[in-house]
């Protein structure tokens, strides 16, 4: 495991550095001008000029990139750059999202013209706010809020500066991290219960309650299972406006040092689902212990490959194959859904197949799991671990913890 | 078929699926977007700009100020 950890750190540094150098020399720059025709058909725009920077035209419409005006507004993983056309009465005439780094599984609907069309025809004096005159999108709340705020604040600033239109004062509501509070409450109570059951086996049956809660809260309600995308966005310095993003990441790092793969065994909603499926009374396939252990290395291979790929290219979306992202975002392509269905079905015959052989988040947690002994493994092991399993494979369910 | 053979089939299928998903991510995210935007520009050039006698390089994305 030490060697793997070293390889991981080398890959992170090497791919980051080479990626930065290569991207600096061969930068692919999106030319926003090609989209001017799309947001305002028939209008002839001239070169960008002025302050705030904008494209004047041969009519009463101007266009601008929101990032030139309000680069500070961020979504889940950085700013959302929007090309907006407004006329001299302050009415939005066209809009297109140019670039963003949100997880596409969650924001696919936000990018569609049907969704963006609700901004068109609205005035900068309108509320332009979620649940007032703009629809929310469940599972993409942070991204949609950031998009709406970007459009509202940049349009108002441009309209006020260039057209002298009186715009409403921005009221910055103090954001309460309700999602973070819910997550941290669950995390801390689960961790406390885990530590308690290390001494007191009697209540261990209640672990199922926490698994159900993790499925309902982390999976369905928050839609935020830990994904390696959190890690990549953090390494690539894609700052998030979501408190939950940082809460999830910090709690995970903390839990690794306190309890290894505790997250896998207690808080992962996909892990909970496949574990419950695996408990159905069907004969499980018998795998020789040696083969089992060898094939478990597969998850590290995939994790290291996507780490290199993502950090080199700077595009976290390249690495998305995580079944739980597809399942809990309710969105994916045919290949991603095939993988989800296969993983759910196969759990009937091989306990926690996904967690043992493929999960990149599990691989990351395993890499940094401290070597704490005391677990001997039993027939009840949800991971079908061998006796005296390596700490990196133990998900700390506490069923086989030696207390002597 | 023995359990081990079934397992090998399954793991092989899973590996294939994951590789296809990653390849699809690469194609969908960047390559297809570049290709599509090039085709859009080329189509617009052939349809509108070439008739005005402008070169592709000069007017690749852009309408000349009239």
């Amino acid at each position: 495991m030490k060697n793997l950890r070293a390889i991981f750190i080398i890959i992170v540094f090497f791919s980051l550095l080479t990626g930065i150098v290569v991207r600096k020399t061969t930068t692919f720059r999106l030319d926003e001008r090609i989209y001017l025709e799309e947001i305002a058909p028939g209008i002839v725009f001239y070169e960008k000029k002025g302050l705030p920077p904008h494209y004047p035209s041969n009519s009463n419409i101007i266009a601008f990139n929101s990032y030139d005006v309000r680069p500070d507004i961020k979504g889940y993983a950085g700013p959302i750059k929007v090309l907006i056309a407004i006329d001299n009465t302050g009415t939005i005439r066209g809009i297109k999202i140019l670039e963003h780094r949100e997880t596409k599984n969650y924001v696919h609907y936000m990018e569609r013209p049907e969704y963006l069309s609700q901004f068109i025809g609205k005035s900068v004096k309108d509320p332009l706010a979620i649940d007032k005159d703009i629809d929310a999108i469940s599972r993409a709340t942070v991204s949609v809020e950031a998009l709406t705020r970007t459009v509202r604040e940049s349009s108002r600033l441009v309209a006020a500066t260039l057209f002298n239109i009186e715009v409403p004062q921005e009221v910055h509501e103090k954001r309460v991290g309700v999602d973070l509070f819910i997550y941290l409450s669950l995390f801390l109570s689960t961790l406390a219960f885990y530590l308690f059951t290390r001494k007191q086996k009697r209540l261990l049956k209640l672990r199922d309650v926490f698994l159900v809660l993790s499925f309902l809260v982390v999976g369905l309600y928050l839609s935020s299972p830990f994904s390696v995308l959190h890690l990549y966005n953090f390494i690539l310095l894609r700052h998030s406006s979501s408190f939950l993003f940082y809460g999830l990441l910090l709690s995970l790092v903390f839990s690794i040092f306190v309890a290894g793969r505790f997250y896998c065994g207690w808080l992962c909603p996909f892990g909970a689902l496949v574990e419950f499926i695996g408990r159905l009374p069907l004969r499980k396939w018998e795998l020789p212990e040696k083969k089992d252990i060898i094939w478990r290395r597969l998850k590290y291979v995939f994790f290291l490959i996507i780490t290199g790929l993502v950090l080199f290219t700077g595009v976290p979306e390249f690495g998305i194959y995580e079944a739980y992202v597809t399942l809990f975002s309710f969105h994916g392509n045919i290949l991603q859904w095939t993988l989800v269905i296969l993983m759910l079905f196969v759990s009937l015959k091989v306990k926690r197949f996904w967690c043992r052989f493929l999960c990149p988040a599990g691989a990351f947690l395993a890499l940094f799991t401290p070597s704490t002994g005391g677990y001997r493994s039993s027939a009840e092991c949800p991971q079908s671990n061998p006796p005296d399993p390596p700490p990196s494979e133990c998900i700390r369910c506490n069923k086989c913890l030696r207390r002597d | 078929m023995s359990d081990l053979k079934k397992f090998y089939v399954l793991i092989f299928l899973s590996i294939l699926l994951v590789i296809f998903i990653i390849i699809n991510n690469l194609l969908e995210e960047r390559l297809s977007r570049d290709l599509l935007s090039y085709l859009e520009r080329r189509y617009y050039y052939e349809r509108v700009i070439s008739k005005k006698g402008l070169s592709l390089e000069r007017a690749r994305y852009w309408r000349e100020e009239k």
Side-chain angles (χ1 to χ4, degrees):
Chain A
M1 196 50 64
K2 270 184 187 170
N3 291 343
L4 267 177
R5 207 178 300 157
I7 292 171
F8 170 72
I9 291 167
I10 290 167
I11 285 178
V12 167
F13 279 105
F14 184 74
S15 47
L16 254 183
L17 286 177
T18 49
I20 288 168
V21 172
V22 170
R23 285 201 299 277
K24 280 237 168 179
T25 49
T26 59
T27 311
F28 166 80
R29 283 188 69 80
L30 179 77
D31 194 329
E32 64 200 25
R33 295 177 300 180
I34 60 174
Y35 298 110
L36 290 169
E37 167 76 10
E38 194 179 313
I39 61 165
I43 306 291
V44 177
F45 286 99
Y46 309 137
E47 286 292 347
K48 191 189 269 187
K49 65 172 188 183
L51 209 66
H54 65 282
Y55 295 99
S57 76
N58 62 350
S59 74
N60 60 352
I61 294 176
I62 59 130
F64 64 94
N65 182 338
S66 64
Y67 190 69
D68 291 332
V69 185
R70 289 302 306 267
D72 54 315
I73 303 172
K74 292 179 176 63
Y76 202 76
I80 299 172
K81 299 178 184 175
V82 191
L83 190 66
I84 302 167
I86 60 170
D87 65 22
N88 59 2
T89 64
T91 304
I92 295 171
R93 300 287 293 270
I95 177 170
K96 176 166 181 78
I97 295 178
L98 294 171
E99 213 178 328
H100 69 78
R101 288 288 169 220
E102 313 296 280
T103 310
K104 61 181 179 178
N105 291 55
Y106 290 98
V107 298
H108 62 104
Y109 185 63
M110 183 181 88
E111 296 176 289
R112 288 191 187 169
E114 314 78 286
Y115 183 78
L116 293 173
S117 66
Q118 62 182 322
F119 288 97
I120 296 170
K122 289 202 167 57
S123 165
V124 292
K125 294 177 181 174
D126 289 336
L128 289 170
I130 295 292
D131 288 337
K132 287 185 180 165
D133 53 352
I134 302 294
D135 294 336
I137 300 175
S138 58
R139 289 160 206 288
T141 320
V142 175
S143 309
V144 171
E145 267 178 14
L147 170 72
T148 309
R149 204 178 141 216
T150 301
V151 174
R152 183 179 66 239
E153 295 193 14
S154 60
S155 303
R156 283 179 179 174
L157 204 143
V158 168
T161 316
L162 298 179
F163 301 130
N164 291 320
I165 295 172
E166 265 191 43
V167 294
Q169 284 287 314
E170 285 295 334
V171 182
H172 288 288
E173 291 167 14
K174 202 175 177 186
R175 290 190 58 195
V176 183
V178 178
D179 288 354
L180 177 67
F181 176 76
I182 293 171
Y183 170 74
L184 282 183
S185 305
L186 181 64
F187 173 80
L188 290 173
S189 54
T190 312
L191 186 64
F193 189 76
Y194 157 78
L195 293 172
F196 179 70
T197 52
R198 281 175 67 86
K199 290 179 181 157
Q200 194 48 269
K201 202 175 180 179
R202 263 187 312 131
L203 293 173
L204 200 54
K205 278 186 180 171
L206 287 178
R207 173 172 170 265
D208 287 356
V209 175
F210 288 94
L211 290 181
V212 171
L213 277 176
S214 76
F215 178 76
L216 294 176
V217 177
V218 182
L220 295 181
Y221 177 69
L222 297 174
S223 242
S224 278
F226 173 68
S227 152
V228 283
L229 291 186
H230 288 96
L231 178 73
Y232 298 144
N233 279 323
F234 185 77
I235 295 174
L236 290 166
L237 302 177
R238 303 254 157 79
H239 300 302
S240 176
S241 64
S242 166
F243 296 123
L244 183 60
F245 175 92
Y246 296 105
L248 195 65
L249 207 55
L250 287 176
S251 64
L252 254 290
V253 171
F254 172 70
S255 74
I256 294 174
F257 293 108
V258 175
R261 287 179 68 181
F262 154 80
Y263 173 83
C264 302
W266 291 78
L267 275 175
C268 175
F270 195 75
L273 182 61
V274 291
E275 184 173 328
F276 284 126
I277 292 174
R279 286 188 203 170
L280 292 173
L282 288 169
R283 189 187 77 82
K284 302 288 177 271
W285 293 348
E286 281 170 21
L287 305 175
E289 193 185 309
K290 260 191 175 177
K291 305 273 182 200
D292 183 0
I293 289 294
I294 288 171
W295 279 103
R296 287 186 192 211
R297 292 176 192 160
L298 183 63
K299 60 178 176 288
Y300 300 109
V301 175
F302 279 131
F303 174 59
L304 294 177
I305 288 173
I306 62 166
T307 300
L309 182 69
V310 166
L311 298 183
F312 178 73
T313 58
V315 184
E317 286 71 22
F318 284 164
I320 300 180
Y321 71 88
E322 294 156 291
Y324 37 84
V325 172
T326 308
L327 184 66
F328 295 111
S329 66
F330 292 170
H331 181 78
N333 57 39
I334 183 92
L335 292 166
Q336 290 167 327
W337 277 116
T338 308
L339 186 67
V340 172
I341 292 164
L342 183 68
M343 290 306 112
L344 295 180
F345 268 103
V346 85
S347 303
L348 291 166
K349 289 293 186 182
V350 184
K351 283 182 180 178
R352 280 187 175 244
F353 181 90
W354 168 261
C355 316
R356 281 156 68 185
F357 303 106
L358 292 172
C359 181
F364 167 68
L365 297 175
L367 274 183
F368 293 95
T369 290
S371 43
T372 319
Y375 292 92
R376 61 194 157 190
S377 190
S378 67
E380 288 178 283
C381 178
Q383 283 253 109
S384 287
N385 280 340
D388 288 321
S392 57
E393 289 302 325
C394 178
I395 58 169
R396 310 295 182 111
C397 68
N398 278 350
K399 284 183 179 172
C400 66
L401 181 69
R402 235 182 267 136
R403 290 172 188 82
D404 44 37
Chain B
M1 204 191 287
S2 70
D3 286 352
L4 187 61
K5 277 189 180 164
K6 286 181 210 161
F7 172 76
Y8 280 147
V9 172
L10 185 68
I11 205 101
F12 177 71
L13 266 178
S14 310
I15 293 171
L16 268 188
L17 258 177
V18 172
I19 290 171
F20 282 150
I21 289 171
I22 294 172
I23 290 172
N24 184 65
N25 290 346
L26 287 165
L27 293 176
E28 194 181 74
E29 186 66 24
R30 185 55 60 90
L31 300 182
S32 63
R33 194 176 69 180
D34 286 0
L35 190 65
L36 199 72
S37 86
Y38 170 75
L39 290 175
E40 275 175 10
R41 293 198 305 269
R42 184 83 212 182
Y43 175 70
Y44 186 71
Y45 170 75
E46 297 294 347
R47 195 168 54 92
V48 180
I49 295 173
S50 64
K51 288 174 189 163
K52 293 179 181 175
L54 296 169
S55 69
L56 176 64
E57 199 49 49
R58 195 170 170 219
R60 182 183 275 167
Y61 309 122
W62 200 235
R63 286 184 171 193
E64 280 292 298
E65 190 174 329
K66 285 177 184 166

